[in-house]
Amino acid sequence: MTAAPAFPLGNRNEIGTDQGSTVRRPPDTVVSRFADGRIASRLGDLYWNWTPFVNGGREARLSFKFWGPSHRYQSINPYIPPEHGPMVADMQHLMDLVVFRRSGETYEYGMLFAFLAHLKRIARYCGAKNISLSDFFGDPKLITQYSRSIKSKTLARFSGLLSILTKLDPEKEVGFHVAGNPILTELRKRVTQMIKGALQTPPLPTRIYSIILSNLEQELLDFQKIAAPYFKMIKMAQHLKKTLLPRSNEARSIVRDLVTANPSLNDYFESKRLPKDPKGVSRGLSEIQLLCKLQIQAFSGMRHSEACMLPYHCMEKETRNGRIHFILSGFTTKLNKGKMHRAKWVTSPDGYRAVSLAQRIAKFVYRELGIKPSRPRGLVSQHPLFVSISYLGFGTTRPHASSMSFKAPALLIQNNGDGRLRQLLCPTITENDLQELEAIDEARAWRAEDCFRLGVPWPLESHQFRRSLALYAQRSGLVSLPSLKRQLQHITQEMTRYYTKGSSFAINFIDHDPEVFKTHMAREWRDGVALSEGLAFLRDVIFSNEELFGGAGSFEQGKRNRGEVVDRKVTLSRFRRGEISYAQTPFGGCVKIGECNQVGMRMVETDCLKNCLSAVGKLSKLNNVIRMQEKLVRGLDRDSVEFRMESSDLRALKMARKKWQDLSTRRRNAQRT
């Protein structure tokens, strides 16, 4: 990488001082090195190679190109137009301060990338006004004017950058006075208000949730069936072409003939609307990588960045009490000052299958590069699970690959250019979906937000899987769709074993680190129990139009009859404090806190239906149980022990029904008088 030339500004009061200045380090100063000592980048380079400091050895650059189109992985062109030279030199000096002069631990690449991205935005702002960066940072009016034009996370990044510069020595380090202190207090208040006022990630309505999970499963199953001929077709195409597969007529013809020659492969390309050319082959694999990533998130609760950072060898199996548990081992940087921290997640067979399929694609890519993925050593993982398909050579150029650096795909839903996947992952919003969202958060004006209007596609974001999993996959009866229950059954069982209260194994599972526990899925899982139970209680008990029976049911029914109004917010707060609990039962629900001491081996013969003070009964549910029990009894031998046991249960059920019916009659008579 060639160092960019220096462009002195001549004014010693500005950061662009001449090369003899003691304030600014010379442009040939080394800013990054590889592990073997080789120089990766110098301060004056237009692109700082940050790959040596990124976990997994993934290609990482800090680009100072603030003009024209820019991308993290754009082609390297070290040329700096003379008119942009001074601004680039100023930006390099400021980033040198952020990285090396700032007190405290060095920021992780993602934070540095975000700071530089905002610094480039400021550079464009200054360019439009024909002023330098020192003019901007030295003028409180300009800073205030600029700060009022930005929102969201951008405001937090600007506040952080300004805070860093104001803490440095203006004469010995920055080179000029930063006029940030007068407005930093205001900026921090705005950032705090922005965070407090930020809308929470919406959970997926159960109908949409079920559709998305079913479509994910089907798409991965479809590819799994044709994976072998898919990879074989790529090998044959590469053999016929000998070199890369650029998007030429010859390459298109080769791929089209190979695809159509295999009926199953041809059907797959047509059903998935994939072009029968190198671009279509590449897109098909990239789509499956995205779907694998989403499936992993859906059945583990990972964040997007955590799923993208998974190493190739991330899957572990643990046997506890005769059961096999699937564990994903990876890394997280959330709320850890951008530093890598080892983390684990429990997943289900669905997540395991997605990892296996992603490994199959990655293995094919690595094999084409002559590389065998190695297992991570400590926090070092050289081979990511998701590696760019571009290494197969479907573009006009193939990225450079080494044993230490691999380009990774973005794996963003928004980046998918084909409408077919968006239709699968973003079902149209119905009235029932909106009513369900309003039941979860009635204070939020869902219908006033453009993205949640009736008839528009659901605005899917991958973080919705995390919140939905914590909210719905609890045994509270909140999930009503049978298909969704089946989808979540395995993950619910697995996570319950690891993450429920009182599990010492869950604490060991996250390395006894309280700071990590605050950000781990286990915390959200446990915290989600109270909210999930509270919402189910409001739906099934408080806002239900059906008459209630049982100890707790009669109590709530009495409040209804007296016209007492239940405060939704207060009720949910009581659930969060552990003052109330709720779980669904075959007859209605139960509000007992802790383990039930009424349920035995034969539930219907216990006191649960007689005098349990925690029971919430509904006649409709009891009738359903009686119908199923009658069907069971009719199919048994009348002389068998099973017949006598099940008949006894049936009599107990019918006795409870008669008791509830008599109580209902007395209630109606009391209301008339």
Side-chain angles (χ1 to χ4, degrees), residues 602 629 632-633 636-637 639-649:
R602 301 177 64 198
Q629 189 70 12
L632 174 63
V633 170
L636 296 175
D637 184 354
D639 296 327
S640 65
V641 176
E642 290 84 356
F643 177 82
R644 291 195 294 272
M645 293 177 63
E646 300 300 340
S647 296
S648 176
D649 290 347

Side-chain angles (χ1 to χ4, degrees), residues 316 329-333 336 339-345 376-380 509-511 513 516 520:
E316 301 175 6
S329 297
F331 313 96
T332 184
T333 60
N336 192 33
K339 299 296 182 180
M340 288 290 175
H341 197 289
R342 186 181 291 105
K344 292 187 177 184
W345 296 263
R377 297 188 299 275
L379 289 178
V380 179
F509 182 63
I510 50 180
D511 297 333
D513 191 329
V516 175
H520 196 272

Side-chain angles (χ1 to χ4, degrees), residues 82-283:
E83 65 272 18
H84 297 312
M87 192 74 76
V88 170
D90 292 351
M91 292 166 59
Q92 289 167 339
H93 171 63
L94 291 179
M95 283 303 294
D96 184 31
L97 298 176
V98 171
V99 178
F100 299 106
R101 302 286 184 92
R102 166 186 160 272
S103 61
E105 297 180 347
T106 304
Y107 282 127
E108 181 261 345
Y109 168 69
M111 288 290 290
L112 295 178
F113 184 87
F115 276 129
L116 180 55
H118 194 85
L119 188 57
K120 288 191 284 188
R121 175 174 177 165
I122 296 174
R124 290 190 291 271
Y125 178 85
C126 292
K129 290 184 172 294
N130 197 27
I131 59 175
S132 68
L133 286 176
S134 61
D135 293 333
F136 173 81
F137 283 107
D139 190 333
K141 292 183 179 179
L142 284 173
I143 295 175
T144 302
Q145 181 184 4
Y146 174 78
S147 68
R148 290 173 180 170
S149 68
I150 55 179
K151 300 177 182 179
S152 188
K153 290 183 179 179
T154 313
L155 183 63
R157 292 287 178 264
F158 177 60
S159 177
L161 180 62
L162 200 60
S163 178
I164 292 171
L165 295 179
T166 55
K167 292 177 182 178
L168 298 175
D169 189 304
E171 295 183 0
K172 298 180 180 179
E173 294 177 309
V174 181
F176 69 99
H177 174 69
V178 179
N181 285 321
I183 65 168
L184 266 177
T185 302
E186 178 190 346
L187 283 178
R188 287 165 180 159
K189 286 182 179 179
R190 286 177 57 193
V191 171
T192 302
Q193 293 172 354
M194 176 192 69
I195 294 174
K196 289 182 178 180
L199 295 174
Q200 190 176 17
T201 299
L204 293 159
T206 50
R207 183 191 68 88
I208 291 177
Y209 200 4
S210 180
I211 291 174
I212 293 174
L213 292 180
S214 298
N215 288 341
L216 282 175
E217 183 180 16
Q218 188 60 52
E219 287 291 309
L220 297 185
L221 181 62
D222 290 346
F223 179 79
Q224 194 170 2
K225 293 177 181 178
I226 56 87
Y230 201 114
F231 293 140
K232 183 178 180 181
M233 175 266 296
I234 294 175
K235 292 290 293 181
M236 293 178 66
Q238 291 175 329
H239 175 72
L240 291 172
K241 187 62 181 171
K242 298 295 184 185
T243 57
L244 300 180
L245 280 174
R247 295 164 188 174
S248 62
N249 291 333
E250 181 184 4
R252 293 191 184 96
S253 177
I254 291 173
V255 172
R256 183 177 62 252
D257 293 344
L258 290 173
V259 170
T260 55
N262 188 310
S264 61
L265 199 58
N266 187 65
D267 291 343
Y268 180 83
F269 268 68
E270 291 186 353
S271 65
K272 307 305 179 186
R273 301 211 299 255
L274 295 173
K276 298 172 187 177
D277 57 24
K279 182 179 179 180
V281 175
S282 176
R283 196 181 84 192

Side-chain angles (χ1 to χ4, degrees), residues 293-294 297 302 304 413 460-466:
K293 196 264 305 187
L294 294 177
Q297 287 185 265
M302 285 187 186
H304 167 74
I413 301 170
L460 181 65
E461 296 177 359
S462 63
H463 197 75
Q464 294 167 6
F465 287 115
R466 181 180 175 89

Side-chain angles (χ1 to χ4, degrees), residues 480-529:
S480 57
L481 289 178
S483 56
L484 184 54
K485 282 187 176 181
R486 288 196 298 272
Q487 289 279 6
L488 295 177
Q489 181 181 6
H490 295 299
I491 189 64
T492 302
Q493 293 174 350
E494 294 297 315
M495 286 194 167
T496 299
R497 293 189 184 100
Y498 277 100
Y499 296 160
T500 49
K501 293 180 180 179
S503 172
S504 59
F505 183 33
I507 302 301
N508 293 332
F509 182 63
I510 50 180
D511 297 333
H512 293 282
D513 191 329
E515 292 302 316
V516 175
F517 176 62
K518 291 178 182 178
T519 68
H520 196 272
M521 178 61 192
R523 173 66 178 270
E524 294 195 31
W525 175 264
R526 294 186 189 181
D527 291 347
V529 173

Side-chain angles (χ1 to χ4, degrees), residues 282-336:
S282 176
R283 196 181 84 192
L285 292 178
S286 298
E287 286 182 357
I288 296 301
Q289 283 186 318
L290 169 62
L291 297 175
C292 285
K293 196 264 305 187
L294 294 177
Q295 178 94 327
I296 292 170
Q297 287 185 265
F299 289 95
S300 70
M302 285 187 186
R303 299 178 179 88
H304 167 74
S305 60
E306 293 165 346
C308 291
M309 287 191 296
L310 282 173
Y312 178 86
H313 294 286
C314 62
M315 181 60 71
E316 301 175 6
K317 293 183 181 180
E318 293 186 7
T319 302
R320 297 256 176 174
N321 300 322
R323 289 183 176 272
I324 297 177
H325 305 285
F326 298 103
I327 310 297
L328 293 174
S329 297
F331 313 96
T332 184
T333 60
K334 186 66 174 179
L335 300 182
N336 192 33

Side-chain angles (χ1 to χ4, degrees), residues 448-632:
E449 299 180 40
D450 290 339
C451 55
F452 296 114
R453 287 184 293 107
L454 185 67
V456 304
W458 175 261
L460 181 65
E461 296 177 359
S462 63
H463 197 75
Q464 294 167 6
F465 287 115
R466 181 180 175 89
R467 189 181 180 215
S468 301
L469 183 60
L471 178 63
Y472 291 141
Q474 305 289 344
R475 299 184 182 278
S476 63
L478 187 62
V479 180
S480 57
L481 289 178
S483 56
L484 184 54
K485 282 187 176 181
R486 288 196 298 272
Q487 289 279 6
L488 295 177
Q489 181 181 6
H490 295 299
I491 189 64
T492 302
Q493 293 174 350
E494 294 297 315
M495 286 194 167
T496 299
R497 293 189 184 100
Y498 277 100
Y499 296 160
T500 49
K501 293 180 180 179
S503 172
S504 59
F505 183 33
I507 302 301
N508 293 332
F509 182 63
I510 50 180
D511 297 333
H512 293 282
D513 191 329
E515 292 302 316
V516 175
F517 176 62
K518 291 178 182 178
T519 68
H520 196 272
M521 178 61 192
R523 173 66 178 270
E524 294 195 31
W525 175 264
R526 294 186 189 181
D527 291 347
V529 173
L531 177 60
S532 180
E533 289 181 356
L535 291 172
F537 177 78
L538 290 170
R539 184 197 65 186
D540 295 344
V541 179
I542 301 302
F543 300 131
S544 173
N545 295 323
E546 193 171 351
E547 192 174 6
L548 305 176
F549 302 93
S554 296
F555 176 74
E556 295 296 337
Q557 185 65 41
K559 292 198 296 184
R560 283 191 199 174
N561 296 341
R562 294 190 296 271
E564 295 184 19
V565 178
V566 177
D567 190 308
R568 183 181 187 275
K569 185 176 181 180
V570 171
T571 301
L572 290 178
S573 296
R574 293 187 64 194
F575 270 93
R576 291 190 180 97
R577 293 194 299 267
E579 298 175 2
I580 321 177
S581 179
Y582 180 78
Q584 193 179 46
T585 69
F587 315 110
C590 178
V591 297
K592 180 174 177 58
I593 299 174
E595 295 295 326
C596 179
N597 56 8
Q598 297 287 344
V599 178
M601 291 182 63
R602 301 177 64 198
M603 180 176 62
V604 294
E605 285 193 347
T606 65
D607 291 337
C608 180
L609 285 174
K610 298 177 183 178
N611 55 10
C612 178
L613 297 178
S614 302
V616 178
K618 292 185 177 181
L619 199 56
S620 62
K621 290 202 169 189
L622 181 57
N623 285 332
N624 289 336
V625 176
I626 290 175
R627 283 194 295 270
M628 290 186 289
Q629 189 70 12
E630 287 176 336
K631 183 177 180 180
L632 174 63

